[in-house]
Amino acid sequence: MDTDPGILCFQHCGPMNIFCFELPSLCPVCGAPLATVNFRLLPFRVPYPFVRATQHPCSIVIKPTTGDFLNDYYNSKDLHIGVTDSKGMVVEFDRGGLQRADVHLWKQCLVLDGAAGPWSDHWDSTLSHVARQDCWTAERYNEADFNCYTFVLTFLRSLRYGRLSEAADNRTEFCEKFIIPRTTAAGKYISLFRKLRQSQNQCYVHKMQHPSLGANSQVAITAR
């Protein structure tokens, strides 16, 4: 099932971005009928930041520990991190120990980074080697200091794959370089989605603060 709600963006009667799920027949700002010739910026689909883990082999992926990003995630909520192999299957470490994940639970996740095609064999062999270590058991799992994050960072250090592995030497550095930028960008989309869902006419108008930047510049800032 596709989880992309398909948010649209356009400009009509002024320097403001209008977001919606479906194009309205009348402009929500001026009330005039929408016609192609009157658009300041033609409608386009806002890039959807989330992916299915199975479509991104040899990657590090994250999702909320419970629920999904669009409906359940807030900054205070915990995230769960896993590794996909060369076939897109997710390997995760949680209270149940090390296991292959139910891919249906990873249909709305963020990709932190991954390895290029030539690295797939090394990626799989390293993942297999780390997975065979006898420490990844349900008994050893500890929510605070021996968890999914521990497993992924151990894998990345063993992988020796450029900056991804270098950052894995420090939990805080890895979070700052790979996790926070992805969740911050995704948070803007989540906020937009929830504003639209809560609006009575399912339209949200965002006034541009710097019209001199031009329409394309403001769209890039809003839709990141």
Side-chain angles (χ1 to χ4, degrees):
M1 182 177 65
D2 187 7
T3 59
D4 184 351
I7 297 177
L8 301 175
C9 175
F10 67 93
Q11 290 183 7
H12 181 251
C13 54
M16 58 192 76
N17 292 327
I18 302 171
F19 297 93
C20 55
F21 291 123
E22 294 184 2
L23 203 62
S25 58
L26 302 177
C27 175
V29 177
C30 68
L34 292 180
T36 303
V37 293
N38 292 329
F39 281 110
R40 290 172 58 94
L41 177 67
L42 288 173
F44 70 93
R45 192 161 178 160
V46 178
Y48 183 64
F50 307 111
V51 301
R52 291 177 179 270
T54 54
Q55 297 173 332
H56 291 267
C58 298
S59 296
I60 305 301
V61 291
I62 59 172
K63 71 177 188 68
T65 301
T66 57
D68 61 37
F69 275 110
L70 285 181
N71 299 292
D72 307 296
Y73 180 68
Y74 293 91
N75 288 336
S76 59
K77 286 219 168 186
D78 291 335
L79 291 168
H80 185 46
I81 189 168
V83 182
T84 62
D85 63 16
S86 63
K87 296 181 180 178
M89 299 302 296
V90 182
V91 179
E92 62 180 357
F93 179 55
D94 58 17
R95 296 179 184 278
L98 191 65
Q99 56 193 325
R100 288 192 177 274
D102 180 351
V103 295
H104 296 292
L105 299 178
W106 289 85
K107 63 184 180 181
Q108 191 188 102
C109 63
L110 292 171
V111 175
L112 301 187
D113 207 339
W119 273 75
S120 60
D121 288 342
H122 177 61
W123 183 283
D124 279 352
S125 62
T126 303
L127 182 57
S128 178
H129 171 73
V130 174
R132 286 197 300 270
Q133 297 173 358
D134 59 10
C135 57
W136 311 113
T137 63
E139 292 73 23
R140 285 290 307 277
Y141 178 84
N142 182 283
E143 185 175 311
D145 53 25
F146 200 79
N147 49 31
C148 59
Y149 201 32
T150 309
F151 169 71
V152 170
L153 294 185
T154 300
F155 162 71
L156 289 176
R157 288 193 294 268
S158 300
L159 186 67
R160 299 186 181 279
Y161 184 73
R163 69 188 189 100
L164 191 58
S165 293
E166 291 172 4
D169 284 333
N170 184 287
R171 296 169 73 95
T172 302
E173 180 182 351
F174 186 87
C175 183
E176 291 175 346
K177 287 187 174 181
F178 291 96
I179 298 178
I180 292 177
R182 306 303 189 279
T183 54
T184 299
K188 296 177 182 180
Y189 189 95
I190 294 170
S191 177
L192 177 58
F193 169 79
R194 291 176 183 172
K195 287 176 180 177
L196 278 173
R197 188 174 58 181
Q198 293 168 2
S199 65
Q200 292 183 349
N201 60 356
Q202 293 199 321
C203 285
Y204 171 67
V205 180
H206 178 73
K207 294 183 179 180
M208 295 170 59
Q209 296 179 348
H210 302 287
S212 60
L213 291 175
N216 290 336
S217 297
Q218 181 62 24
V219 167
I221 293 170
T222 303
R224 278 184 305 177

